[in-house]
């Protein structure tokens, strides 16, 4: 059985991906779900995976932790009460220093798109490393030029000009500058609960105190009410939330704005899908106020949401600037800002330069990611596996009152824990306990939201039907043990 292939699933799945009906039947007949009714020790094994990790001979986890405490930033945090050390990855799986395998349901914080150490991506990086590791845009090199064309070929409309940078923070920082340069306006509208990065400029756009240092920030940035269908004040009424943006422009700005920036699905904020009809109305309002619209696709791009290649497309809007990072390079330090030639020209009056942006190695790796996404039909795969996973998680919500909401699209899903479904008091401690139990069963989840009470399920896009079933069965068992 090949580890990577057209669907990266292997024969164990059989006809399970034939449709959502089959997935629903599996959710009702899963033997693992039946045995999990009786709390006890988890005995189910991870889905078969024909790979043996290399022996590890480096320092122990305790020694690494000591080095980290001594030499790395004290602001770093780690998951789990006992930190987990990861030394190898393959496909949708990770391995610790003892060779134990874990199902990766968080993809390095939504960064590993086509699978850990995908052979085509690894080969492209290796081949370029042997040829030329680094040059800059002061010289011509085919990799960055061909990559820019291949990337913009996948963009709608006139989004045909690319700036390559190194991180999502850097991309969003540049998008803010472009909006201000092009419009001649200063004020920007963002959302409460948003996350757009950790530079000084992007920190000001974040709508959560968690990511804000106690320093001056966000000059000219205004935060609109978050269009959260589950917790928001207007439920799923997108037009009501959009009216708040009109009021905000009238009250907090000169009446003219540089732009509006939002994620298509809020990632760090807890996988929040924006209320229906919100973005089209807000884009109209922003443009009437002289601004441009920025789509942050750092987490939702490259087919992860299943229904579309880019998350904004599911909202039926056309942004003026699109930012992307994380999955663009499958773990490489690579990001991009894509805009129209007209907006890009706004910065042509001065030199602009990025030493590492679009370097030959990262460009070669990014091009390989694009090829793999297309060749292995990752968008279609995310739609099919994501629909099955969402159905099974919905059944789990019906069984366990602590699950207040299940949401998302494709392989970008969220499960919110609450102490009471009516008051929606966040169940942060309970989620933390289940989080630890999931690790015991071999599943590594993400968590997020302002209150830290949302499971973020955003695995590598090669995640299979069997992986989805194992995750849900393990989650059911972990909750059933009592909280």
């Amino acid at each position: 059985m090949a580890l990577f292939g057209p669907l990266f699933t292997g024969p164990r799945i059989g006809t399970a991906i034939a449709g959502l009906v089959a997935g629903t039947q599996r959710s009702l007949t899963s033997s693992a779900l039946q045995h999990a009714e009786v709390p006890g020790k988890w005995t189910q094994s991870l889905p078969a995976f024909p790979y043996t990790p290399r022996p590890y001979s480096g320092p122990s986890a305790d020694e690494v932790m000591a080095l980290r405490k001594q030499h790395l930033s004290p602001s770093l945090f780690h998951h789990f009460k006992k930190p987990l050390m990861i030394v190898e990855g393959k496909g949708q799986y990770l391995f610790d220093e003892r060779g134990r395998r874990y199902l990766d349901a968080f993809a390095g914080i939504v960064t590993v798109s086509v699978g850990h150490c995908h052979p085509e991506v690894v080969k492209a990086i290796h081949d370029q490393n042997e040829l030329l590791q680094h040059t800059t845009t002061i010289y011509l090199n085919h990799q960055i030029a061909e990559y820019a064309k291949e990337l913009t070929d996948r963009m709608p409309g006139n989004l045909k000009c690319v700036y390559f940078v190194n991180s999502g923070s850097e991309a969003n920082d540049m998008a803010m500058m472009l909006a201000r340069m092009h419009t001649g306006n200063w004020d920007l509208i963002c959302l409460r609960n948003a996350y757009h990065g950790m530079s000084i400029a992007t920190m000001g756009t974040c709508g959560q105190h968690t990511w804000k240092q106690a320093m001056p920030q966000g000059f000219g940035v205004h935060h609109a009410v978050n269009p959260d269908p589950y917790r928001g004040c207007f439920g799923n009424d997108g037009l009501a939330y959009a009216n708040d943006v009109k009021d905000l422009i009238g009250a907090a700005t000169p009446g003219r704005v540089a732009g509006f920036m939002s994620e298509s699905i809020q990632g760090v904020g807890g996988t929040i899908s924006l209320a229906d009809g919100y973005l089209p109305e807000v884009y109209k309002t922003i443009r009437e106020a002289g601004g441009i619209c920025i789509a942050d696709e750092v987490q939702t791009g490259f087919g992860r949401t299943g229904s579309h290649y880019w998350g904004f497309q599911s909202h039926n809007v056309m942004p003026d600037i699109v930012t992307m990072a994380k999955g663009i390079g499958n773990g490489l330090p690579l990001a991009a800002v894509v805009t129209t030639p007209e907006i890009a020209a706004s910065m042509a009056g001065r030199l602009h330069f990025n030493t590492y942006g679009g370097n030959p190695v990262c460009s070669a790796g990014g091009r390989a990611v694009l090829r793999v996404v297309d060749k292995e039909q990752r968008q279609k795969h995310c739609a099919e596996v994501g629909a099955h996973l969402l159905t099974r998680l919905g059944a789990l919500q019906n069984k366990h009152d602590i699950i207040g909401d299940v949401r998302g699209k494709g392989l970008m899903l969220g499960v919110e824990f609450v102490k009471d479904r009516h008051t929606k008091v966040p169940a942060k401690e309970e989620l933390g306990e289940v989080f630890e139990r999931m690790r015991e069963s071999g599943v590594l989840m993400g968590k997020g939201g302002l209150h830290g009470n949302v499971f973020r399920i955003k695995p590598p896009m090669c995640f299979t039907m069997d992986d989805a079933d194992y995750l849900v069965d393990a989650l059911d068992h972990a909750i059933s043990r009592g909280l």
Side-chain angles (χ1 to χ4, degrees):
M1 168 181 160
L3 293 180
F4 296 81
L7 286 177
F8 201 176
T9 56
R12 296 188 72 248
I13 295 176
T15 59
I17 61 173
L20 183 57
V21 173
T24 305
Q25 291 173 342
R26 288 166 65 123
S27 71
L28 297 176
T29 61
S30 170
S31 61
L33 186 61
Q34 294 168 3
H35 92 255
E37 297 290 348
V38 180
K41 184 177 180 181
W42 178 250
T43 58
Q44 189 171 332
S45 298
L46 284 165
F49 191 71
Y51 180 77
T52 301
R54 299 176 185 177
Y56 174 75
S57 59
S60 69
D62 289 341
E63 290 171 327
V64 170
M65 190 64 190
L67 288 170
R68 174 166 156 155
K69 287 181 177 179
Q70 185 175 0
H71 298 292
L72 293 177
S73 168
S75 63
L76 296 176
F77 62 95
H78 56 77
H79 278 180
F80 307 115
K81 296 174 183 177
K82 181 176 174 56
L84 177 64
M85 186 159 83
I86 297 298
V87 299
E88 191 172 347
K90 184 66 68 174
Q92 66 273 36
Y93 290 101
L94 294 169
F95 300 87
D96 67 16
E97 75 277 18
R98 294 181 174 86
R100 181 178 177 182
R101 178 163 57 103
Y102 294 87
L103 179 59
D104 183 7
F106 200 28
I109 314 182
V110 208
T111 300
V112 178
S113 50
V114 297
H116 293 281
C117 299
H118 192 290
E120 186 164 343
V121 178
V122 170
K123 184 178 187 303
I125 295 168
H126 177 73
D127 289 349
Q128 183 59 49
N129 259 323
E130 288 193 326
L131 187 65
L132 176 67
Q133 287 186 313
H134 179 71
T135 185
T136 70
T137 50
I138 62 174
Y139 305 115
L140 298 180
N141 183 268
H142 72 99
Q143 289 284 14
I144 187 173
E146 291 184 290
Y147 184 28
K149 181 185 185 305
E150 291 162 7
L151 184 59
T152 56
D153 282 348
R154 291 162 171 80
M155 304 298 299
N158 198 34
L159 295 166
K160 297 300 180 185
C161 186
V162 186
Y163 295 85
F164 287 112
V165 292
N166 307 292
S167 71
S169 295
E170 203 176 349
N172 285 328
D173 195 302
M174 169 162 277
M176 295 168 67
M177 180 167 62
L178 276 168
R180 286 166 166 163
M181 291 288 293
H182 182 69
T183 64
N185 301 324
W186 181 255
D187 293 76
L188 287 160
I189 307 298
C190 297
L191 295 177
R192 298 178 190 178
N193 200 56
Y195 178 86
H196 297 293
M198 292 298 294
S199 67
I200 291 179
T202 56
M203 186 188 302
T205 67
C206 293
Q208 299 182 44
H209 74 273
T210 315
W211 309 104
K212 290 177 174 286
Q213 297 289 344
M215 59 182 291
Q217 59 182 266
F219 178 53
V221 176
H222 311 278
H223 290 88
V225 171
N226 194 39
D228 180 351
Y230 180 63
R231 288 186 174 272
C233 54
F234 301 121
N236 195 31
D237 188 345
L239 295 182
Y241 293 109
N243 285 333
D244 174 70
V245 174
K246 293 181 182 178
D247 292 343
L248 186 61
I249 292 172
T253 79
R256 304 287 289 176
V257 299
F260 168 81
M261 180 160 60
S262 76
E263 304 155 271
S264 303
I265 298 175
Q266 291 179 337
V268 174
T271 318
I272 306 296
S273 298
L274 308 185
D276 293 342
Y278 177 75
L279 278 188
E281 188 66 21
V282 169
Y283 273 35
K284 177 184 175 183
T285 296
I286 293 297
R287 285 166 174 153
E288 289 173 349
I292 62 178
C293 300
I294 304 167
D296 180 338
E297 292 285 324
V298 169
Q299 295 193 25
T300 48
F302 303 95
R304 174 168 288 278
T305 62
S307 61
H308 298 82
Y309 200 88
W310 304 107
F312 65 80
Q313 292 173 311
S314 65
H315 294 276
N316 295 314
V317 294
M318 175 62 74
D320 304 292
I321 300 176
V322 180
T323 61
M324 56 196 75
K326 290 186 180 286
I328 190 175
N330 205 48
L332 288 167
L334 176 64
V337 180
V338 183
T339 189
T340 66
E342 294 76 17
I343 293 174
S346 304
M347 283 180 56
R350 294 290 186 273
L351 294 176
H352 177 267
F353 180 76
N354 189 298
T355 301
Y356 298 106
N359 70 79
V361 174
C362 286
S363 292
R367 296 179 69 194
V369 169
L370 295 180
R371 292 193 298 270
V372 172
V373 169
D374 291 349
K375 183 167 61 176
E376 297 184 358
Q377 303 177 55
R378 286 293 146 225
Q379 180 184 327
K380 179 175 181 287
H381 183 74
C382 286
E384 293 171 339
V385 177
H388 173 69
L389 184 53
L390 194 63
T391 297
R392 289 219 52 200
L393 289 170
L396 213 59
Q397 180 184 11
N398 293 333
K399 179 179 179 181
H400 298 290
D401 289 341
I402 198 168
I403 299 178
D405 194 31
V406 173
R407 54 184 178 251
K409 295 186 65 177
L411 288 180
M412 187 162 181
L413 304 179
V415 178
E416 180 160 355
F417 275 28
V418 294
K419 295 180 184 292
D420 182 274
R421 286 188 176 181
H422 298 289
T423 63
K424 300 179 182 177
V425 174
K428 178 179 179 179
E429 295 77 15
E430 291 85 348
L431 183 133
E433 181 59 35
V434 173
F435 189 67
E436 295 286 343
R437 294 174 185 176
M438 292 297 285
R439 172 192 171 166
E440 293 172 8
S441 66
V443 181
L444 305 180
M445 309 270 272
K447 59 180 178 178
L450 179 61
H451 306 289
N453 67 314
V454 181
F455 274 126
R456 297 170 66 191
I457 304 173
K458 302 163 185 182
M461 296 193 296
C462 51
F463 199 77
T464 70
M465 290 283 192
D466 286 343
D467 296 325
D469 283 334
Y470 184 89
L471 183 151
V472 177
D473 292 344
L475 182 57
D476 179 50
H477 183 268
I479 299 172
S480 297
R481 286 171 57 185
L483 296 168

